[in-house]
Amino acid sequence: MIDNLKIAIVHEWLIDYSGSEKVLEQLVQIFPQATVFALVEFLSENHKSLIVNNKPVQTSFIQKLPFAKKQYRNYLPLMPLAVEQLDVSSFDIVISSSHAVAKGIITNANQLHISYVHSPIRYAWDLYHHYLHETNLKRGLRGFAAKLILHYIRIWDITTANRVDYFISNSNYIGRRIRRTYNRTSDTIYPPVDVNSFTLCTAKEDFYLTASRLVPYKKVDLIVEAFNKLPGKKLIVIGDGPDFNKIRQKAKANVQLLGYQDFDTLNAYMQKAKAFVFAADEDFGITPVEAQACGTPVIAYGKGGALETVLEQITGVFFKEQTTESLLQAILYFEQIANSFNAETIRHHAEKFDKSNFNANIMKYVQEKYLLHQNNMA
């Protein structure tokens, strides 16, 4: 039905290969005729081939601004203007993949605009005070400027919700945020997880694993602090980021930081880990599902997307607060029931999040909404 239609896919920034880029990768595969738009694109050759199949990406004026490759986030005040300058007026369907400003793309009444929302702008809404604290912008002239900018970003963000015909949320958790922030309903389609790239392993070894970009909200430092108090328990940390040195200085002898590792190494550790530890309040959280695809149980913070991807005492256990003590209690409880987890059952649960389900659900959704849109236009 829609094979011959012109489709635009709008993304925020293409810098590396993370969760939102995995969604974009599948959207490009589902709609191979689509044209891709982004505020900036600085992908490596390998990532460009993987994510957009080497398609040319139409970018905004921010692409040519000084230091945009490294400092693109500093151009946040210009991003609403930049996304509005991307011209998608000749397309029948516009699909925005949005965690910041992509949903603000300007469309007309004849076009269908579907926005796949990873989250309303985190640092303007749910992480606003956390962001100001972590960046030392609570006070002073720079702090005042940041608060003023984010105030206007929030106004723009709410206003542009009316530019979207249909919202897709990446979890029911984000669906509730969309309802609270934009007063709009959404339909949940879970993000694609490449389950078949991860191999089931039933023979677990005596170590715990966490893998994440080392940034404050991922709470890897909390995980390390908990294992510092459990000298008899080994923790492997995979990942790099701004907090790497700070976390390494905290880590005791039973905690090993490996930095960035390639996929094969990550897969091997996920297969063999006794449990995967996840302390972030995530919108969805792909890595816990990847761990479960290996048959590895998860110890997760009981909030956000984890509540939809981890089954209590079947595929993992939860801790209730983002504190060292709460996580410690969860680890000790897990130790008591570790033998009750079945790797095949855990793997089977992960398969419901496989990318094949995402692709089928997205295609069906877009076809149905396009037909409804055409009927409403008649």
Side-chain angles (χ1 to χ4, degrees):
M1 181 198 303
I2 61 176
D3 291 345
N4 297 322
L5 297 177
K6 294 186 66 178
I7 298 177
I9 301 174
V10 184
H11 197 70
E12 262 103 19
W13 45 78
L14 286 168
I15 305 296
D16 54 22
Y17 185 50
S18 56
S20 62
E21 284 71 41
K22 291 178 181 179
V23 170
L24 176 61
E25 174 190 2
Q26 294 307 310
L27 290 175
V28 171
Q29 291 187 23
I30 299 166
F31 307 108
Q33 78 273 36
T35 301
V36 179
F37 294 80
L39 298 179
V40 296
E41 186 269 300
F42 294 108
L43 294 171
S44 67
E45 288 186 12
N46 288 341
H47 282 163
K48 188 167 184 178
S49 174
L50 184 66
I51 298 169
V52 296
N53 196 25
N54 284 320
K55 282 174 172 284
V57 177
Q58 298 194 27
T59 58
S60 74
F61 63 82
I62 294 178
Q63 179 83 15
K64 298 181 179 179
L65 293 180
F67 312 111
K69 185 173 183 178
K70 297 291 185 182
Q71 304 295 330
Y72 63 95
R73 292 180 187 273
N74 290 342
Y75 290 114
L76 174 65
L78 298 178
M79 287 183 183
L81 175 63
V83 77
E84 291 178 346
Q85 303 313 303
L86 297 174
D87 184 2
V88 297
S89 58
S90 64
F91 293 87
D92 301 299
I93 299 173
V94 178
I95 302 172
S96 57
S97 170
S98 186
H99 57 77
V101 299
K103 80 166 196 350
I105 191 80
I106 294 177
T107 56
N108 61 55
N110 296 320
Q111 295 173 292
L112 171 65
H113 179 190
I114 296 172
S115 188
Y116 188 95
V117 176
H118 308 275
S119 174
I121 308 176
R122 295 178 184 91
Y123 29 83
W125 296 104
D126 292 77
L127 294 181
Y128 172 65
H129 293 289
H130 177 81
Y131 168 76
L132 293 177
H133 175 75
E134 291 293 335
T135 53
N136 294 316
L137 292 174
K138 281 281 191 180
R139 298 180 179 83
L141 187 59
R142 288 179 64 247
F144 176 79
K147 293 170 189 174
L148 186 63
I149 290 167
L150 291 173
H151 171 73
Y152 285 107
I153 289 285
R154 282 192 292 273
I155 294 173
W156 178 87
D157 191 35
I158 292 173
T159 302
T160 57
N162 292 323
R163 299 177 186 177
V164 178
D165 293 302
Y166 299 100
F167 281 100
I168 302 175
S169 53
N170 74 351
S171 65
N172 295 329
Y173 178 57
I174 290 304
R176 292 191 291 272
R177 282 193 195 173
I178 290 170
R179 179 74 177 184
R180 185 184 68 234
T181 305
Y182 306 136
N183 196 27
R184 294 284 301 276
T185 59
S186 62
D187 300 289
T188 295
I189 299 178
Y190 291 118
V193 181
D194 193 1
V195 170
N196 289 329
S197 291
F198 293 86
T199 309
L200 172 66
C201 179
T202 58
K204 303 302 181 183
E205 298 181 7
D206 194 20
F207 71 89
Y208 292 83
L209 173 70
T210 190
S212 169
R213 181 159 168 75
L214 303 185
V215 293
Y217 87 94
K218 296 288 188 178
K219 299 294 183 181
V220 177
D221 56 340
L222 185 150
I223 299 172
V224 170
E225 288 167 3
F227 277 88
N228 281 344
K229 297 183 177 182
L230 296 168
K233 306 298 178 186
K234 182 179 179 181
L235 172 69
I236 300 291
V237 179
I238 291 179
D240 202 354
D243 285 0
F244 182 85
N245 289 331
K246 183 179 76 172
I247 293 172
R248 181 172 58 181
Q249 290 172 3
K250 284 185 177 182
K252 293 188 176 179
N254 62 313
V255 177
Q256 186 177 2
L257 273 72
L258 302 185
Y260 170 81
Q261 297 294 319
D262 60 27
F263 174 78
D264 289 340
T265 302
L266 173 64
N267 192 357
Y269 277 104
M270 277 189 168
Q271 287 176 299
K272 298 173 184 177
K274 189 173 187 177
F276 183 85
V277 188
F278 187 73
D281 176 3
E282 279 282 19
D283 312 324
F284 175 74
I286 287 179
T287 50
V289 180
E290 293 172 339
Q292 290 172 85
C294 298
T296 300
V298 177
I299 301 172
Y301 175 46
K303 189 177 179 182
L307 290 174
E308 299 173 52
T309 61
V310 179
L311 301 178
E312 179 79 44
Q313 296 189 8
I314 299 174
T315 70
V317 299
F318 295 114
F319 57 101
K320 298 184 183 302
E321 299 176 355
Q322 281 180 317
T323 63
T324 303
E325 185 58 36
S326 185
L327 176 54
L328 273 172
Q329 292 176 7
I331 296 168
L332 295 174
Y333 176 66
F334 174 81
E335 285 281 333
Q336 295 174 13
I337 65 169
N339 292 333
S340 68
F341 290 97
N342 181 278
E344 288 88 353
T345 300
I346 295 172
R347 164 77 183 197
H348 180 69
H349 172 67
E351 288 171 349
K352 70 179 287 188
F353 302 101
D354 185 66
K355 64 182 182 180
S356 61
N357 292 329
F358 173 86
N359 292 3
N361 289 335
I362 286 289
M363 176 60 83
K364 180 182 178 183
Y365 190 91
V366 173
Q367 287 178 336
E368 288 178 350
K369 297 307 182 186
Y370 182 73
L371 181 60
L372 182 60
H373 179 74
Q374 291 300 101
N375 289 339
N376 290 337
M377 294 290 294

